[in-house]
Amino acid sequence: MKNREIKIAYLVAVLATLASIIYGGLSYNKTKNNDLSHKIQMVIVLIHEQLENLKRTAYDNSYWDDTIDKALIARDRQWADGNIGQYLLDTFGLYHTLLFDGQHNLIFTFGSAHSELTNTLTSHPVFRTAVVQTVSQKRNSPQASGFYFQNKESVYLVATSALTRESATGSRTEDEKGYLVLLKAITPTDLAKISKNFAVTNLSLQPNPDQIKFDVLDDASQSSFPLYFTPKGYSFIDLIWNLLPFLITILSLIYLLSVIQRKSIQSQKLNRDLERANTELASFNKRLEEQVRRQTVEIMEKAEKSEQANRAKSTFLSSMSHELRTPLNGILGFAQMLGLNKDQNLTAKQKAWITQIVDSGRMLLDIVNDVLDLARIESGRAVYQPEIFQPRDVFKECFDIVEPIAGARHISLSGHPETDLYVYVDRSKLKQVLLNLVSNAIKYGNDDGYVRFGCRTTDNQYIELYVEDNGKGIPEADLPHIFEPFRRVKETTTHVEGTGVGLAIVQKNLELMGGEIKVESTLGEGSRFSIYLKAYNADYSPAPDNEDAAR
């Protein structure tokens, strides 16, 4: 911030200070008036609340069968004194209680009131109106009436309530036209408490010099009486307290401006330091970019060499597999010819040796074929020829192939093709995947166990092909690794022959087919492999999902 701008800011702060002082002076009187108005309203509300409480007391003691039966009819003064007489005077600090019958005859009077007060009260128009209102109330919803009554220099709160039986119905009886009247005097002690609690100085019923008058009005009865109080004096200190928030704000602003000025000087220095740092950073970035470029080239070269090594490995495996298959096929051929024993000159032991040669050769040929398949897929030379067909056809072929193997171990084999939809994949590769999974289920299954495989339509336009068994299962820790080439699970493959490439081939083939495989397994309980392929109709159109079919 420039020096000229700082000077302008200081000038604005000074002008704001003067404006706040002027504003504080103008709002001084308004603050006093608002304070007085608030205190007067609080006093009116408090006295009105006392009148309401007196009305509730009158209602509670008139809506009572005993008040009619024992006080009004039986004229039992002892009962009346103990319930609506001295009892109410002592409990609620009342001045006077009166009980009248339906012809407005005074039955009982309790308290220190004299006949002149009673006559003045009962002849007052507001009293007569209140009596008419309370006696005319319906029996099922009686209400008390109340008003302010001023007699000479005294003011009373008056409440009237018609006598009402608790459970009667129909129109009021003559007895129920009687009514109870309660008077509570507003005493100097009451006013002194209000003065103390609400800071209303010298609250009284009598006017004095320098006092302010206000009327306490009851809206319902339109009755009122005057009260007087001495307004609080306001000094110069009060004015200062009124202006204090403004002064603190202005002083804070001035302090803030001084801080801004210091920070402006520091900012200029920091800007110069920042320019030097930016220059050094640009030089460092340039060196860093060059280093990143060199490392990127090195990483790309290493990646290319790694890719070449993978291709070389796949080529080697493919070549070696071909080289091994030729002599293996020769060995198997000669062994099978010997096994024919046309001259019938072989002993039983020699026949067993020949059978062992054939079995071992077939197992080794299967291993070579698996390695060759994996090498073809990884090298990108796998042939993929998709066609449209129903998976249930492939299930039948697989079932016929593996049924003898399962029967030899007394394993229950069952197929469950539950969909007539089609898939569009390479038929031979799907058959290879299913044979691999079903063979594994039999190989790692328990004697006298079961293997189930089938296919069904899911609700999202896919066909699920599943293979499940109750065999040895797979440990949870090994599940993420079972599709890695040459990876075998130690806990379940100790006495089972194999290379560990079968599931790797399954996953690679499914990637070619655009499918997905999931596995669920519990060690000692069995496994379930699920394959998901896109479902089609016979005309190559995508199969509808369940929601589309419903619509």
Side-chain angles (χ1 to χ4, degrees):
M1 185 179 289
K2 297 180 180 180
N3 291 332
R4 182 172 179 273
E5 294 173 340
I6 292 292
K7 291 178 180 179
I8 294 175
Y10 276 117
L11 178 60
V12 171
V14 172
L15 293 176
T17 303
L18 295 175
S20 66
I21 294 174
I22 295 172
Y23 173 78
L26 294 175
S27 62
Y28 178 65
N29 288 330
K30 183 177 180 180
T31 301
K32 290 195 300 180
N33 294 334
N34 288 341
D35 182 53
L36 292 176
S37 176
H38 173 72
K39 290 180 178 180
I40 290 172
Q41 188 61 35
M42 290 299 298
V43 172
I44 293 174
V45 169
L46 184 61
I47 295 177
H48 183 71
E49 180 63 24
Q50 292 183 10
L51 179 60
E52 290 297 318
N53 291 336
L54 187 64
K55 289 165 60 176
R56 282 193 290 271
T57 302
Y59 166 81
D60 291 340
N61 289 274
S62 61
Y63 193 54
W64 190 8
D65 289 350
D66 285 351
T67 304
I68 298 174
D69 295 334
K70 295 183 179 181
L72 183 65
I73 298 176
R75 308 289 177 96
D76 187 343
R77 185 174 184 83
Q78 183 179 357
W79 183 93
D81 188 42
N83 290 273
I84 61 173
Q86 194 62 42
Y87 168 74
L88 294 181
L89 300 178
D90 295 339
T91 304
F92 298 100
L94 303 185
Y95 183 76
H96 197 37
T97 64
L98 304 169
L99 180 64
F100 292 88
D101 63 12
Q103 288 75 39
H104 308 290
N105 296 316
L106 180 61
I107 306 303
F108 289 121
T109 176
F110 300 96
S112 57
H114 46 78
S115 58
E116 181 182 354
L117 173 62
T118 303
N119 293 334
T120 304
L121 173 65
T122 55
S123 62
H124 199 285
V126 177
F127 176 81
R128 292 196 296 270
T129 301
V131 170
V132 171
Q133 288 178 348
T134 187
V135 172
S136 63
Q137 295 289 337
K138 293 182 179 179
R139 175 187 283 130
N140 58 354
S141 59
Q143 293 181 1
S145 299
F147 59 93
Y148 302 129
F149 173 62
Q150 185 173 11
N151 182 45
K152 299 181 180 179
E153 296 181 353
S154 300
V155 175
Y156 303 92
L157 307 178
V158 182
T160 64
S161 181
L163 304 183
T164 306
R165 291 192 179 276
E166 300 169 53
S167 58
T169 59
S171 302
R172 284 184 177 274
T173 64
E174 189 64 27
D175 294 334
E176 289 180 302
K177 294 181 181 180
Y179 50 94
L180 179 66
V181 181
L182 305 181
L183 280 79
K184 179 178 176 62
I186 299 179
T187 65
T189 302
D190 296 332
L191 297 179
K193 290 181 180 179
I194 297 175
S195 295
K196 181 180 179 181
N197 293 335
F198 295 95
V200 181
T201 309
N202 298 329
L203 188 64
S204 67
L205 293 169
Q206 305 301 323
N208 291 303
D210 301 326
Q211 282 194 318
I212 294 177
K213 172 189 173 184
F214 67 94
D215 290 325
V216 180
L217 173 66
D218 176 53
D219 292 333
S221 63
Q222 291 298 305
S223 59
S224 64
F225 66 93
L227 278 178
Y228 304 88
F229 73 99
T230 303
K232 176 185 175 183
Y234 289 88
S235 63
F236 180 74
I237 299 300
D238 296 319
L239 177 60
I240 295 299
W241 277 108
N242 193 49
L243 294 176
L244 187 59
F246 298 98
L247 294 176
I248 292 175
T249 302
I250 299 304
L251 292 176
S252 300
L253 178 60
I254 294 174
Y255 173 74
L256 181 61
L257 289 174
S258 65
V259 172
I260 291 175
Q261 186 177 16
R262 291 196 302 271
K263 295 299 182 181
S264 177
I265 297 173
Q266 295 176 2
S267 177
Q268 293 175 4
K269 182 177 180 299
L270 288 175
N271 285 336
R272 292 192 294 269
D273 295 340
L274 183 60
E275 289 177 359
R276 289 195 300 270
N278 284 336
T279 302
E280 295 175 0
L281 182 61
S283 176
F284 174 78
N285 284 339
K286 187 174 181 180
R287 294 194 303 270
L288 183 62
E289 288 175 358
E290 179 61 25
Q291 184 177 357
V292 170
R293 187 190 64 79
R294 290 197 303 269
Q295 291 179 349
T296 302
V297 172
E298 292 176 2
I299 292 172
M300 293 178 65
E301 291 176 351
K302 291 180 180 179
E304 179 63 25
K305 290 179 181 179
S306 176
E307 183 65 25
Q308 291 176 357
N310 284 332
R311 287 197 295 270
K313 178 198 72 173
S314 299
T315 302
F316 171 76
L317 289 175
S318 178
S319 175
M320 287 300 299
S321 298
H322 281 294
E323 294 297 330
L324 288 172
R325 289 177 70 184
T326 301
L328 274 175
N329 284 324
I331 292 171
L332 285 173
F334 284 114
Q336 290 169 348
M337 289 177 62
L338 287 173
L340 294 176
N341 193 19
K342 292 183 178 181
D343 297 332
Q344 301 296 322
N345 58 355
L346 294 176
T347 66
K349 189 172 184 180
Q350 289 172 334
K351 291 180 180 180
W353 288 347
I354 293 172
T355 301
Q356 187 174 0
I357 292 172
V358 172
D359 291 342
S360 299
R362 285 175 177 168
M363 184 186 71
L364 185 58
L365 185 60
D366 289 340
I367 294 173
V368 170
N369 287 335
D370 287 344
V371 173
L372 181 59
D373 287 341
L374 183 62
R376 282 200 195 100
I377 296 173
E378 289 185 341
S379 64
R381 293 185 290 107
V383 178
Y384 183 70
Q385 297 176 330
E387 57 181 293
I388 194 81
F389 64 94
Q390 291 179 310
R392 61 189 309 144
D393 297 338
V394 176
F395 270 67
K396 180 64 171 62
E397 298 172 9
C398 294
F399 187 90
D400 293 340
I401 294 173
V402 298
E403 185 179 23
I405 304 173
R409 295 188 58 193
H410 304 288
I411 292 177
S412 172
L413 182 68
S414 59
H416 304 274
E418 303 172 16
T419 179
D420 293 325
L421 293 176
Y422 294 75
V423 293
Y424 184 66
V425 296
D426 189 308
R427 186 188 187 101
S428 62
K429 293 194 181 300
L430 181 59
K431 180 178 178 180
Q432 182 183 17
V433 167
L434 291 175
L435 279 175
N436 202 317
L437 293 178
V438 176
S439 298
N440 279 353
I442 296 173
K443 186 190 302 184
Y444 298 108
N446 298 320
D447 292 346
D448 300 318
Y450 69 81
V451 174
R452 303 189 188 101
F453 63 102
C455 58
R456 61 187 181 187
T457 306
T458 66
D459 59 357
N460 53 356
Q461 299 178 309
Y462 280 83
I463 291 179
E464 178 192 10
L465 300 89
Y466 62 90
V467 178
E468 60 182 9
D469 62 75
N470 64 340
K472 297 180 175 62
I474 304 170
E476 184 177 358
D478 290 314
L479 286 176
H481 309 289
I482 60 175
F483 296 104
E484 298 175 3
F486 308 104
R487 180 69 176 258
R488 305 192 73 201
V489 179
K490 294 181 180 180
E491 286 82 351
T492 59
T493 59
T494 305
H495 303 294
V496 181
E497 298 175 345
T499 60
V501 299
L503 288 179
I505 294 174
V506 167
Q507 188 180 51
K508 298 292 184 182
N509 279 332
L510 283 172
E511 290 176 358
L512 288 175
M513 291 185 281
E516 180 184 8
I517 185 169
K518 295 181 180 179
V519 58
E520 301 173 4
S521 184
T522 303
L523 187 63
E525 296 183 9
S527 305
R528 177 187 175 93
F529 288 81
S530 299
I531 297 170
Y532 297 93
L533 297 172
K534 186 73 175 178
Y536 291 87
N537 294 313
D539 59 356
Y540 294 84
S541 62
D545 59 22
N546 288 350
E547 293 183 1
D548 291 340
R551 288 196 290 268

